Amino acid sequence: MRKIVPLALASAMMTACVGPVEETGSSSSDTTAVSSSSQPTTTSSTTTTSSTTTVSSSSVTPPSSSSVAATSSSAPTTGGTGPQYSNFSPDALAGATQYEQHCFGCHGTKGVVATLPGGDAKTPLNAAAFLDDPQSLFFRSHAEMPLVSPTDCQDQCAADVTAYILTWVSAVASCDMEKAIGYSPRRLRILTVAEYQNTLEDLLGLDYDLRDELLLDGSKGGFPDNSTANVDNNRADKFWDIAESIADWAVENEKPFSCANGCVDEFVTSFLPRMFRRPLTQAEQTHYEDMFASATGEDAFKFALINVLTSPQFLYRSELGDKVSDLLATEPEPYYRPDPDTQVTITFGDLGDDGFAHAGYYIGQTPSYAWTGNDIISFQVKARASNGSYPVISFAVGNETFPLEITSDRPHTFRINVEGVTGSPHVKFNSQPDQLWISPLTFGGAVLYTPERGDLAKMEQADPNSYMLDPFEYATLLSYTLTGSAPDDILWDAAMNDGLHYEEQVRAQVERLIDSPRGRQQMGAMAGYWFGTDDVINATRDPALFPNYTEAVQESMAEEVRQLFREVFYNDRPFESLYNGDFTVLNKTLSDYYGINSGATDDNDWRVVENLDKRGGIITTGAFMSTYSHPDKTAPIIRAVRIREDMLCQHISPPPIVESDREELLAKANADYESGMSTSREYYETITDSEACYSCHAYKINPLFGTEDFNQVGQWRDTQKGATGLDLPINNEGKLYGPDNINDENNFIPFNGAKDLSKAIADLPGTEECLIEKGFRFVAGMPIKVSAVDAAFEPPLNDEQKSDYACVANQAKTSFSSSNRSVRAMFTEMVMQDLLRYRKAK
């Protein structure tokens, strides 16, 4: 039976891809943890041929900068200046020829991941990542490329190649204000680990945590994303083993219901559609009914549940939709359904434990029901074969008889439309021979119902070749985005009954889901993903040195970030208060650890604490400071990079490969540190004091080292213990160079300590832009602009996507600025955008 599962999962046809792993460093000498993505370990099968792209011969120069604070009178002293891109007059046309000669063999056409006919894999090159940082691209080309002979393309050649690469992308995308509908790609997504856990808790009643048993999620832009993951044999085996254990647990605990005496109808008609997050097809219904026919009771239930938990219908979220032109050309099929206002339920005979009554040869009565002349009666029957034959059964209402065909021992569901009957007719069943059991009967007046296709006015504005998510796909998207779980009863009912077609309907559901317990949980999860602070639970320390840094403290630190974001999100605090506020949210464990009186009584009692002196703002949280530290010392490089990348969305390129003096600098740094006279800041300033490090460390990283007032376990300090135990003074002075433009080396904002830095960045335009970028990544699973593309795992944005996503950014900014800079208002506006429902092929 095991081999069934990989075959079933393979039918979803997903592309294999390994998610990027963000390194935070495992040793004190790690100075390389500045990249937000790793190189891929797989390549696609796309064939790319060599060709020279025609480009303009005009020069490409670095972006201009704007003044934010005082002008620097002297440059940082890190390393030497090295060659500068701005000192050359780059020629992009000449660069195209140089790229063809020196770079194409490794990077292919426009840096796209590809495999040539000869089978040579290409290395991706994300030109968009260097739009704001051409100096880094130039220096790497000058110092390292090509790998076989780095001296073949230096100085002017490197400048020309840089200029050519930057022509691959446009720096600014504008919104097409005349366009009515925007679009995002069609796709399938495997449930993330959290989504899998939450779904089984909510639909099955699972009461234990199985997340550690699943394979890790993929990641894009720092958020869990399995849209390019595939179910290989390893993942399939994991799903199978977990499904078996869950099925055993479900039987033992009678979850979601007891199946000892049979449960086929409850399983197929009630439970299964919710697990698939849509109504069943007739083939699916028959398939699962046959499973119950092939076994009995709990064995049948276990077999069926394992099949569900390993099926693509459960494991994948569908965002494929139906073609708009087909929807507009097809009239929905009307059908009769019971009127809920007139519906009644009647029982014949005495019900057994299985919910069925034995009918004998004959059973009947005159129900107390107001017949309308057009009524629907629904019920189930079970029968037993005798000598290989099932009984002849009929159902009668007055003088009209309806034969019932029975072909197996499983319960059969019948739905009969009775027309022309009024008064008080007798209702009866006949069975020859005596082998019939019936469930309660539901009577209701028949109402002709014609399903809606959706918002026709909007559909007519859409590209006829685009696709629109059906109500169940849309409900699934809204639910997993806003609650991290499957649709609840209210959302399911809306999908079933034309309740998700129009903006006011959708907005009401969005607001309700955000305010739900799962919604509050999900908003906290967003902050943990965004700032990477959930990883504090893995930031182990020597208990002999830090006995108070317990697992409970680490878990509370992670939750503090979630609670802090919820406080801003739900309580109408402006977004900048996430950075410049003098408050945080603490439970008793964290209050005791920080030495702050919050009034909290236990670990589940979270209290807002105002008017703090040393803490306040996301940077000062214990989770941020601990996550971005090494076991034996802080990690000022990683802290600086994460502030740039995650809070200002300023991209810093990976460090260069060629570092000829690295070993000498490392030896000197280690010797100084071990002597007990060097602080963590001085240690990393020594390591990076080289020409190879200059382009990133001189202005972008090292001046942000002024966060040393918090140690590697998130506690405030005013001195640092040296390696020999001597108290060393800490230098917390820092400068945020290029607050608006990472390449601006003339303007800076001075700060002193982590809290001062957090306040310094609170009102910068970059923090608002970063909120929108991270918000869109969380809502749509997509990069909102070219510089946010995760090049190792995502294709470049096409021109239509650039424009459509720019429109989303504009809408988000408008909502944000008109609502006292409300994160909730911005987030809600993103979720309401049409491009989440309307799709196009990638």
Side-chain angles (χ1 to χ4, degrees), residues 65-72 644 699 735-750:
S65 60
S66 59
S67 176
V68 176
T71 301
S72 173
R644 291 278 192 188
Y699 292 95
K735 295 183 177 70
L736 173 63
Y737 280 91
D740 281 346
N741 182 333
I742 194 171
N743 293 304
D744 182 359
E745 299 175 357
N746 297 314
N747 299 288
F748 65 87
I749 299 175

Side-chain angles (χ1 to χ4, degrees), residues 85-108:
Y85 179 62
S86 57
N87 291 339
F88 296 88
S89 298
D91 185 335
L93 187 59
T97 302
Q98 296 288 359
Y99 181 90
E100 186 74 18
Q101 178 181 350
H102 297 294
C103 314
F104 178 83
C106 287
H107 297 291

Side-chain angles (χ1 to χ4, degrees), residues 183-203:
Y183 307 92
S184 55
R186 303 175 77 206
R187 57 187 174 175
L188 295 168
R189 293 201 248 182
I190 298 175
L191 296 180
T192 67
V193 170
E195 290 168 349
Y196 187 97
Q197 175 74 29
N198 293 342
T199 299
L200 293 184
E201 288 179 5
D202 294 343
L203 297 184

Side-chain angles (χ1 to χ4, degrees), residues 44-49 114-117:
S44 72
S45 58
T46 306
T47 300
T48 305
T49 56
T115 302
L116 292 179

Side-chain angles (χ1 to χ4, degrees), residues 586 588-598 612 615 715:
L586 304 176
K588 189 174 189 310
T589 291
L590 215 50
S591 298
D592 293 345
Y593 184 76
Y594 288 165
I596 296 173
N597 181 18
S598 69
L612 297 176
R615 294 188 186 270
Q715 290 184 318

Side-chain angles (χ1 to χ4, degrees), residues 545-586:
L545 297 176
F546 303 105
N548 296 327
Y549 186 71
T550 63
E551 184 177 337
V553 166
Q554 291 170 270
E555 291 174 349
S556 296
M557 283 179 169
E559 182 61 23
E560 178 191 10
V561 172
R562 304 181 199 119
Q563 292 283 352
L564 184 60
F565 187 76
R566 291 189 194 108
E567 173 64 21
V568 173
F569 188 97
Y570 285 99
N571 293 322
D572 297 323
R573 294 186 188 255
F575 171 61
E576 57 267 26
S577 66
L578 185 65
Y579 295 96
N580 65 14
D582 294 321
F583 64 91
T584 190
V585 189
L586 304 176

